[in-house]
Amino acid sequence: MKLHRIPLIGLLLLGGCGVPQEQGQKMMNDIAKLQQRSQMFDEQAAKLQKATSEAEMELGRLRKLVDEGQNAIKSSADLGLSVEKLKVDLATITGRLDDLQTSMTALNKSFTDYRAQSDIKIEQVVNATTNQKAPPIPENADGVYSQAQQRFNDKSWVDARRLWEAFLARYPQDARAPKAQFMIGESYLAETRYANAIGAFTKLIDNFPKSELVPDAMFKNGTAFYALKYCGDARIYFQELLRRYPKTEWKRDANEQLKKLQRDLKNKAVCQS
């Protein structure tokens, strides 16, 4: 949920939607704090964008130097230049270029993870403010799970997650718990919130290691990392999927993804790492 809608929710809370004034004020205060944090995240994003732009300019300058150096080496016999010195200079410049690219990738990945965690916290608080208006959660496992699936089918992703999270909290030993965790990841994928989806699928892999859905979660994580341009992480997931589950139904798709990754790994427009 985007933060520019939060003030409207606050007005509804304080304007007579069944929430006591004192409770509504507390919710408004919580939302105000989140807005301040969101502003901080936006400032961080602006700084990251500036750093990325400066880094890209530096990369362009270094690439130009590399090209000039390589051309100079080719014509060094005519120009009387020292080939060995140029080679050393080129190695130094290339090393700086690689370090800079690595730093840019780390910055982008760190911010993506940071923003994903922020989005989850914001969603949890906003959900808390709307619980008074949301339909009550059923009192039995079948009812909660069924209602969550219905919300998912209706593309009400936030409501579906709220119900599946309630299901997991109330019935962690239920045989459908791994599926509920998996569907939380699917709902994030439906919103193209790939970092959040990775967190949800990873939780399934960690908390339900014997579930038959683990191969599915591993494949989904691979595709999500690919979408975020973290191709090295994507390749690890696809390779590990094939190693652990050589007969998985994802075998063909995983192999096709690995072939694509092999072509894309050196393309910085597609792969940041």
Side-chain angles (χ1 to χ4, degrees):
M1 176 174 293
K2 295 188 179 297
L3 285 175
H4 64 259
R5 297 179 58 191
I6 289 179
L8 177 59
I9 295 174
L11 290 174
L12 291 174
L13 284 170
L14 296 177
C17 289
V19 181
Q21 184 174 358
E22 181 179 349
Q23 183 180 357
Q25 185 59 53
K26 182 179 182 302
M27 291 177 179
M28 284 290 291
N29 292 339
D30 290 341
I31 292 171
K33 291 178 182 178
L34 279 173
Q35 288 176 316
Q36 291 176 355
R37 292 185 62 192
S38 179
Q39 183 177 356
M40 181 185 69
F41 297 153
D42 291 340
E43 291 172 357
Q44 291 290 334
K47 290 179 181 179
L48 178 60
Q49 182 61 43
K50 182 180 179 182
T52 301
S53 298
E54 292 173 352
E56 287 175 348
M57 290 177 64
E58 179 69 5
L59 281 173
R61 190 181 71 80
L62 290 175
R63 288 195 181 99
K64 183 178 179 181
L65 286 174
V66 170
D67 292 339
E68 290 174 353
Q70 289 174 334
N71 291 334
I73 287 176
K74 292 177 183 177
S75 58
S76 60
D78 297 331
L79 298 175
L81 299 175
S82 170
V83 174
E84 290 304 318
K85 183 178 183 304
L86 280 172
K87 287 182 178 180
V88 172
D89 291 343
L90 280 172
T92 301
I93 292 170
T94 302
R96 287 180 61 196
L97 188 147
D98 291 341
D99 291 343
L100 192 56
Q101 186 66 55
T102 300
S103 298
M104 287 174 60
T105 298
L107 275 172
N108 282 317
K109 188 171 183 179
S110 176
F111 185 76
T112 298
D113 295 342
Y114 186 52
R115 189 73 199 195
Q117 294 172 10
S118 166
D119 287 346
I120 290 175
K121 290 179 181 178
I122 290 171
E123 184 175 307
Q124 288 172 344
V125 172
V126 173
N127 283 347
T129 68
T130 57
N131 277 346
Q132 295 292 333
K133 296 183 294 180
I137 296 175
E139 295 298 326
N140 59 77
D142 290 343
V144 178
Y145 193 91
S146 175
Q147 198 171 112
Q149 187 63 58
Q150 183 60 53
R151 294 291 188 276
F152 183 87
N153 294 342
D154 293 339
K155 300 183 180 180
S156 299
W157 316 122
V158 175
D159 283 344
R161 280 195 295 273
R162 180 177 67 89
L163 288 160
W164 270 313
E165 286 167 357
F167 181 88
L168 288 166
R170 293 182 182 182
Y171 315 106
Q173 304 305 317
D174 191 285
R176 293 165 292 185
K179 181 68 172 180
Q181 184 61 54
F182 182 82
M183 294 306 293
I184 291 173
E186 287 281 67
S187 72
Y188 280 127
L189 281 185
E191 295 178 306
T192 65
R193 294 170 62 179
Y194 298 113
N196 299 87
I198 289 168
F201 290 129
T202 300
K203 188 177 290 187
L204 185 151
I205 295 168
D206 292 341
N207 294 351
F208 307 100
K210 296 182 180 180
S211 170
E212 62 181 13
L213 290 170
V214 169
D216 303 65
M218 293 180 71
F219 183 82
K220 298 284 185 176
N221 265 1
T223 58
F225 271 118
Y226 205 167
L228 288 171
K229 301 184 179 180
Y230 300 134
C231 299
D233 300 86
R235 181 170 59 178
I236 289 172
Y237 266 99
F238 292 135
Q239 289 175 337
E240 186 65 12
L241 169 62
L242 293 173
R243 187 187 72 81
R244 284 199 209 176
Y245 306 98
K247 296 182 180 180
T248 176
E249 63 180 15
W250 295 106
K251 182 175 182 179
R252 179 178 178 181
D253 291 330
N255 279 316
E256 288 179 356
Q257 292 293 316
L258 285 170
K259 289 178 182 177
K260 287 177 61 180
L261 281 166
Q262 189 62 34
R263 295 193 300 267
D264 290 341
L265 275 171
K266 295 182 179 180
N267 182 354
K268 296 303 180 183
V270 179
C271 292
Q272 294 181 10
S273 67

